[in-house]
Amino acid sequence: MAILDKLKHLVKIEGNSFTFINIKINSDNTSEKFTSLNGGQTLGINLNKLTTSEKDIIRPLIPQAVEDGALLLEDKSKSRIEDIESKERTHDEQEILAFFKGKIPPDDYTALRASLYLKKRFADGAGKDEISELKRQIIWRYSKCGRNISDLCSAGYFETLIKTIFEEKERSGYSEGDILTTYNLIVEEGTLTVFVSTGMSSD
């Protein structure tokens, strides 16, 4: 796989034969930066140990690994995947995802899925650490745009303002380019919205 050739220049594990078919992402202070697991079939990547430059190298390789047929895993991935699937079977989740599928860029759509799950976990009363970790993963994978999508989703803008913009296209005959320009101003530039984090003072 092409992903393995690229990883050879970054991952230095003694005796590694680079036959990874899975990639496991974790964030802890105990494991090494890169570890060979399951007899060389799984590559463990510890995000907490990576430098900024290494993260910049790894980030674009993750979607390529999936495209090449690798299975991307995260800590406690089985229970997390089952929970996500359960949340996405609800009527509200299916309705909003069905509406935006094919209308917004694929990466934005995936970030929206993750953000809807984050919003649902918050509504379910998940702890602060879990919420912070879920949002951190969205930001790590989708950068500034992911942060904005997460904030907009949490505030309900996708179900209201942004959905209305796309509906207006159908009613008024605006071009797809016009709609996406407006959408990008909101999602990429963060126009029209100011978000206040929990760490800020009331002032």
Side-chain angles (χ1 to χ4, degrees):
M1 294 187 293
I3 181 67
L4 299 185
D5 294 331
K6 295 177 181 178
L7 285 172
K8 283 181 182 179
H9 300 289
L10 183 65
V11 181
K12 306 297 182 183
I13 301 176
E14 186 176 352
N16 186 5
S17 60
F18 287 96
T19 59
F20 302 124
I21 58 173
N22 303 322
I23 298 176
K24 180 181 179 181
I25 304 295
N26 56 46
S27 300
D28 58 57
N29 294 316
T30 56
S31 63
E32 297 298 322
K33 186 182 297 184
F34 301 108
T35 51
S36 178
L37 308 168
N38 301 328
Q41 293 190 32
T42 299
L43 168 65
I45 301 176
N46 189 341
L47 299 182
N48 278 354
K49 298 290 183 70
L50 297 185
T51 64
T52 300
S53 59
E54 286 171 335
K55 288 180 180 179
D56 290 340
I57 295 172
I58 287 288
R59 186 180 291 113
L61 296 184
I62 299 303
Q64 182 63 51
V66 176
E67 184 176 326
D68 286 348
L71 177 62
L72 180 63
L73 302 175
E74 293 197 20
D75 289 344
K76 302 178 182 178
S77 59
K78 185 175 184 295
S79 60
R80 177 71 72 197
I81 290 170
E82 290 174 347
D83 195 33
I84 291 172
E85 290 177 343
S86 173
K87 299 293 188 296
E88 288 189 349
R89 282 197 291 267
T90 64
H91 174 74
D92 290 345
E93 296 279 314
Q94 288 182 342
E95 184 177 34
I96 196 68
L97 289 173
F99 180 85
F100 283 104
K101 189 173 181 61
K103 291 184 174 70
I104 61 178
D107 275 358
D108 287 12
Y109 179 79
T110 306
L112 176 59
R113 287 184 64 190
S115 299
L116 285 168
Y117 177 73
L118 169 62
K119 182 179 180 180
K120 182 64 176 174
R121 289 298 298 135
F122 180 81
D124 289 344
K128 183 178 179 180
D129 288 345
E130 179 185 347
I131 296 301
S132 297
E133 175 61 17
L134 288 172
K135 186 161 187 177
R136 185 195 62 78
Q137 290 179 12
I138 293 172
I139 295 170
W140 185 82
R141 174 64 181 83
Y142 300 103
S143 301
K144 177 184 175 182
C145 191
R147 180 194 296 275
N148 291 342
I149 288 174
S150 176
D151 289 342
L152 289 162
C153 178
S154 296
Y157 280 98
F158 271 88
E159 296 94 326
T160 54
L161 174 66
I162 299 176
K163 184 179 179 183
T164 301
I165 290 171
F166 282 91
E167 290 173 335
E168 188 64 26
K169 172 193 171 185
E170 300 173 2
R171 289 193 293 265
S172 304
Y174 288 111
S175 70
E176 183 174 346
D178 290 337
I179 299 299
L180 286 177
T181 296
T182 304
Y183 166 82
N184 287 333
L185 281 172
I186 297 171
V187 171
E188 295 181 6
E189 303 301 327
T191 55
L192 307 183
T193 55
V194 176
F195 289 95
V196 182
S197 75
T198 56
M200 293 181 179
S201 67
S202 57
D203 289 338

